[in-house]
Amino acid sequence: MPMQPFAADWDRVTVQQAEQWNWLAVEIAEIRRCAEAGDQAHNRLALILLDHLAEVVIGREVNARLALQVADSSIAEMREFRDDAGKLPEELSQLVDEHVGPDRRKAIDDHLHEKTKFLKQKGVLTAQEREVLDRMHQYRNAAYHRDTLEPDLISDLVLAYRVLADELIGRHRPIAWTMASSDSNPVVAPQQLRGRLIEGVDVDIKAMARRFHGHAVKRVQAVVTAVATARQLLGVDSSGKVDASLPDDDMASMLTGLSNVSKHLPSWAKQAEGLKSKTSSLTGLMIPFINLDRALNRIEPSVRRLEMILDCWEQQRIDELRGK
């Protein structure tokens, strides 16, 4: 049966050379240089490059699995034959059921979460790995597009992503490892890239767990403080009732939202404390951190807004004392 390449760059000249892997070796070297610089700006760049590297390797793994699938036209003929009560052999019927059509291929080509979903279905990624990869992509966007990541968290995310991306590289099985090339540069195959991302790095999961535990505890404590302040400003009594004389405005709405999360504080504190014991694997550590992170992200904008308001009030009080 005719086969149908999926990769958009399948006909490029560079697919006949080692360039497609040589430039990833250069990117890995740049990731290491940035990660080892030790400052926030380089850590942000390392996170962006790591996300790009992971998406490229994931995309190539998808391409390798789709490039040799049966052509759409042949699948359409077999599906029509089967729909007309024709009897297909079991192997061909399975090909029809598992075929990835053009609409889904387009979605896979456009979105990382569709690529990871496909690889999870094929058994290349576990459900936990897929969740961590998708969240790492969101962290990259938070660092690059929105600048909402805590600066001291970025370096630890870079370390975790280096470990995860290195595992992806080692797991990748392209159709052709290397091909003949007239390029004078050394030929690099994907198996030669395995280990370069974490070369010279002490990957201690227990130490990483302690660092992520520290981030989580710090964030939960900030929410605890904000909730206590909000309840005080609302005049919440021992029965939980709010002072009825307060105006019903945006400020009161924000404070009420903060006050209402008080019921979640014990659970969040327990989740943060439990991160210290999540040392069985990287994904085993990252999943509970991600779950807690999602919960805190919903309330932290109000926490930051309250902190800004309190800072403004404090500055006004200082100005009044100084007679300004």
Side-chain angles (χ1 to χ4, degrees):
M1 295 181 186
M3 298 301 178
Q4 176 173 282
F6 167 69
D9 61 353
W10 193 258
D11 296 324
R12 291 192 318 168
V13 175
T14 51
V15 82
Q16 301 296 328
Q17 301 176 353
E19 179 188 338
Q20 59 175 333
W21 292 106
N22 281 336
W23 72 261
L24 283 186
V26 173
E27 187 167 42
I28 288 173
E30 185 64 12
I31 289 169
R32 290 180 55 187
R33 185 189 71 81
C34 290
E36 291 162 10
D39 60 79
Q40 184 187 150
H42 281 90
N43 283 331
R44 288 177 183 273
L45 181 55
L47 186 62
I48 293 167
L49 291 175
L50 275 164
D51 186 69
H52 177 261
L53 176 70
E55 188 161 8
V56 167
V57 175
I58 288 170
R60 290 182 178 180
E61 181 68 27
V62 171
N63 288 348
R65 291 176 175 272
L66 288 179
L68 299 181
Q69 75 170 359
V70 177
D72 293 341
S73 57
S74 298
I75 291 293
E77 292 175 2
M78 288 189 287
R79 183 177 287 116
E80 183 179 359
F81 174 76
R82 192 176 65 176
D83 292 344
D84 290 338
K87 182 66 175 178
L88 286 175
E90 184 177 348
E91 296 82 358
L92 293 183
S93 185
Q94 184 176 356
L95 281 177
V96 172
D97 293 335
E98 295 180 355
H99 183 75
V100 179
D103 290 340
R104 190 178 178 199
R105 291 202 303 271
K106 178 64 167 60
I108 290 174
D109 200 34
D110 290 343
H111 304 289
L112 177 64
H113 69 90
E114 289 292 339
K115 293 182 180 71
T116 57
K117 178 181 179 181
F118 173 78
L119 292 181
K120 175 181 172 292
Q121 291 171 341
K122 293 298 181 181
V124 180
L125 296 174
T126 66
Q128 285 189 328
E129 287 172 332
R130 185 196 175 210
E131 185 172 358
V132 172
L133 282 168
D134 288 348
R135 187 58 178 166
M136 283 295 192
H137 184 65
Q138 294 170 9
Y139 282 137
R140 175 264 186 193
N141 291 337
Y144 181 51
H145 296 299
R146 295 186 291 276
D147 194 19
T148 55
L149 275 188
E150 302 87 347
D152 57 347
L153 174 61
I154 297 176
S155 62
D156 291 333
L157 289 175
V158 166
L159 177 58
Y161 214 168
R162 288 172 73 177
V163 175
L164 188 56
D166 188 66
E167 292 178 359
L168 290 175
I169 292 172
R171 196 179 304 172
H172 179 47
R173 294 294 180 268
I175 296 173
W177 293 89
T178 56
M179 296 183 181
S181 172
S182 59
D183 196 331
S184 59
N185 292 325
V187 174
V188 176
Q191 74 270 27
Q192 293 174 262
L193 300 179
R194 179 69 187 269
R196 291 195 186 187
L197 272 171
I198 55 174
E199 186 177 344
V201 177
D202 182 16
V203 183
D204 186 343
I205 300 297
K206 289 185 178 180
M208 292 175 66
R210 289 193 295 270
R211 288 195 290 271
F212 280 104
H213 162 262
H215 294 305
V217 168
K218 179 181 176 182
R219 292 171 64 184
V220 170
Q221 187 55 51
V223 175
V224 170
T225 301
V227 169
T229 302
R231 293 174 69 84
Q232 182 180 9
L233 292 173
L234 287 171
V236 177
D237 59 23
S238 57
S239 63
K241 293 183 178 180
V242 177
D243 185 350
S245 64
L246 291 176
D248 184 13
D249 54 14
D250 289 343
M251 179 69 173
S253 177
M254 180 195 71
L255 294 175
T256 300
L258 280 168
S259 177
N260 289 340
V261 303
S262 60
K263 58 187 176 185
H264 300 297
L265 295 180
S267 173
W268 291 346
K270 183 178 180 180
Q271 291 178 56
E273 196 61 32
L275 287 173
K276 287 192 297 186
S277 61
K278 304 295 182 180
T279 58
S280 57
S281 66
L282 176 62
T283 52
L285 164 63
M286 293 302 299
I287 291 297
F289 177 80
I290 288 170
N291 291 337
L292 178 59
D293 178 58
R294 288 197 179 108
L296 295 177
N297 275 338
R298 290 192 287 268
I299 196 63
E300 283 177 327
S302 295
V303 173
R304 289 189 288 269
R305 184 182 172 193
L306 179 58
E307 290 173 347
M308 293 173 61
I309 292 172
L310 294 176
D311 288 343
C312 181
W313 288 351
E314 180 63 17
Q315 187 60 51
Q316 290 175 353
R317 187 183 71 84
I318 292 173
D319 290 345
E320 290 175 359
L321 291 175
R322 292 176 175 175
K324 292 184 179 182

